[in-house]
Amino acid sequence: MSQTPEQNHSQEEDNIPLQHDAEHERPPRNKQQSVLIYLVILFAAAFLLMALSYFMQRRTSDATIEGLRGQSVSAMQSVEDIQEENETLKQQVADLEEQLEEAQRELDGLQTLTENLTVMQEQLTKAMDLFWQIDEAYVRGRYSLCRTLIAQMEDTTQGSALKESLPRESTTDTDRFSPADRYQEIYDAVM
């Protein structure tokens, strides 16, 4: 089938509006390239901003980690210092407890000594009182009273005889007998 020149021309005219519509629908090549370049620039800028944000965050987290490490080391040092101080305090407590026990033993010893001295003082007072009565009775020639008082001095029902409590040295600077020696002199004379 062959077409006439008129038919060919009308077909060409029919195709012209189609080409023209197609040309209007497609943006020109320059516009496509500029949009593409614009998009690439936007993506590159976004990528650069994300990379910058990542590095800044990394730097901040590294600084934070270093700070935390420093605090951790400081905290560990503080814990070690506290443990050393605790050990020192425990040792001091043990030493103080030992000193307290020693002081308590000394106190118990002193209390016992005080009680013994009190008993000795009481016996000395009784013995001296009885001695002066014996001496007075002997000087006055009351020998029977003297013997009765000597019997009390020699009595051992309460432990030791009171004569054991008499002082063995003279407290005066004279050449006189000590109370124990004078008692023995009287005892030998009347018994």
Side-chain angles (χ1 to χ4, degrees):
M1 223 170 143
S2 129
Q3 293 183 349
T4 62
E6 287 178 358
Q7 284 178 340
N8 271 343
H9 186 59
S10 95
Q11 262 186 345
E12 284 179 14
E13 284 179 9
D14 286 341
N15 283 338
I16 289 175
L18 286 176
Q19 282 179 347
H20 191 356
D21 287 342
E23 285 178 9
H24 284 301
E25 285 181 19
R26 271 201 248 162
R29 244 209 212 267
N30 272 347
K31 278 190 172 183
Q32 276 184 343
Q33 284 179 348
S34 358
V35 169
L36 188 58
I37 290 172
Y38 179 70
L39 286 174
V40 167
I41 290 172
L42 282 178
F43 277 114
F47 179 75
L48 285 174
L49 287 174
M50 285 188 348
L52 181 63
S53 172
Y54 170 77
F55 287 121
M56 287 176 64
Q57 184 179 6
R58 178 86 185 250
R59 184 190 213 178
T60 303
S61 77
D62 286 348
T64 303
I65 288 172
E66 284 304 315
L68 290 174
R69 281 186 187 151
Q71 288 176 353
S72 175
V73 167
S74 175
M76 288 299 289
Q77 185 63 40
S78 294
V79 167
E80 289 174 2
D81 291 345
I82 289 171
Q83 287 175 340
E84 287 176 13
E85 185 178 346
N86 189 19
E87 290 301 317
T88 302
L89 290 174
K90 283 181 181 178
Q91 185 60 42
Q92 288 177 352
V93 166
D95 292 345
L96 289 173
E97 286 175 345
E98 188 176 315
Q99 290 175 3
L100 179 63
E101 289 174 7
E102 180 64 30
Q104 187 63 43
R105 285 192 294 273
E106 288 178 12
L107 178 63
D108 292 344
L110 289 174
Q111 285 175 338
T112 302
L113 180 62
T114 301
E115 290 170 2
N116 290 340
L117 288 174
T118 303
V119 168
M120 288 173 59
Q121 181 66 35
E122 288 173 358
Q123 286 182 332
L124 175 63
T125 303
K126 287 179 187 177
M128 288 302 291
D129 183 48
L130 200 53
F131 166 73
W132 290 119
Q133 290 179 38
I134 292 170
D135 188 54
E136 185 70 25
Y138 180 73
V139 168
R140 292 187 180 213
R142 300 178 67 195
Y143 300 121
S144 62
L145 176 61
C146 207
R147 282 195 269 301
T148 306
L149 295 172
I150 287 175
Q152 289 178 13
M153 183 74 88
E154 297 286 328
D155 185 19
T156 57
T157 56
Q158 293 185 354
S160 63
L162 286 176
K163 72 175 185 174
E164 301 299 322
S165 300
L166 289 173
R168 305 232 177 260
E169 295 177 8
S170 176
T171 57
T172 63
D173 289 334
T174 61
D175 290 335
R176 301 191 56 102
F177 292 117
S178 69
D181 291 337
R182 175 71 174 148
Y183 171 77
Q184 190 61 45
E185 180 185 24
I186 295 171
Y187 180 86
D188 291 339
V190 293
M191 295 305 256

